[in-house]
Structures are given as structure tokens and as C-alpha cells.
Amino acid sequence: MFIVHSDKFGQFQQDSATPFTSRVATKWLHEHSPDLRHFHCPPKSSDMNIIQPIWVALQCAVQKRSPPPGTPMGLRTALQDSWCEKPPGYLQTLVDTMPRRVASLVCARVGPKRY
């Protein structure tokens, strides 16, 4: 997730999964984004990645469809329809949970935390 702050510096968030922390990936980030602040999360801490609850919600919505999508295009349509059915403010609600998630992570100093 990329956020540009009022100080014109950005913050880059990623988990610490091996593909993201490899020497090649780390070098590329430092060369191409020297002004970004990096928010490091513990490995396998999916609760710090705001996209995870969105994927779970979409997956549940698609699984409830009858009949289930039978083609890649059907899946795409089901995902788009499910996304459009989300209420206004859905993303803001997830964003609003981030301070609590970060505080829980800092307090625990270990793996994923419930939020």
C-alpha cells in the first residue's frame, strides 16, 4: 500500500515474505524509491495487509453464488459484481482499523494478531 503524506514523502507497506525481502527486491526498492519510508511487517502477518480482508470478503461472496462461476470470465464477472455490492465506506472502515492493528502488532511483537 502506498500512502503519500502531507510532507510529500510516501510510505510503502509490504509483508516480510521471502520474495519481497530478497536481495534483488530490496536493492530495486532502494534504487527506485529512496524517498519512501518502509513499514516492515513480520512475515506471515496478513492482518497488517489491508487487501487480505477484501480478498476474503470477495471469496466468500463468490462462493455463495448459485450457480458458481464456471469460467475465468464468469469468475471475473462474479468478482466485479461482488465488489460493486460492497457498501459505500467499506474501504474506509478497513483503513480505520489500521491504528488498532498496528498497536496490537507493536504490543505483541510477534506474528499475526486478531483485530
Side-chain angles (χ1 to χ4, degrees):
M1 174 171 25
F2 178 69
I3 302 168
V4 177
H5 295 275
S6 59
D7 63 6
K8 306 259 191 263
F9 288 97
Q11 180 169 319
F12 183 74
Q13 176 182 336
Q14 66 183 15
D15 64 19
S16 297
T18 304
F20 305 131
T21 58
S22 68
R23 280 181 276 157
V24 172
T26 302
K27 182 180 175 188
W28 188 92
L29 277 173
H30 287 294
E31 289 174 357
H32 292 87
S33 58
D35 294 333
L36 288 181
R37 290 176 288 207
H38 294 267
F39 180 82
H40 297 284
C41 295
K44 300 178 183 169
S45 185
S46 60
D47 53 350
M48 294 305 296
N49 186 342
I50 202 165
I51 197 73
Q52 294 302 324
I54 296 168
W55 280 122
V56 169
L58 290 176
Q59 180 183 14
C60 289
V62 169
Q63 287 175 343
K64 290 179 183 176
R65 293 192 176 264
S66 180
T71 65
M73 186 53 82
L75 177 59
R76 179 180 178 167
T77 301
L79 286 167
Q80 287 175 331
D81 291 348
S82 297
W83 177 253
C84 290
E85 292 167 3
K86 293 292 171 214
Y90 173 69
L91 291 178
Q92 188 60 49
T93 300
L94 293 173
V95 169
D96 292 344
T97 67
M98 287 307 294
R100 189 174 57 237
R101 294 182 200 197
V102 171
S104 293
L105 183 70
V106 169
C107 286
R109 294 184 179 251
V110 295
K113 255 325 237 182
R114 292 191 67 159
Y115 53 90

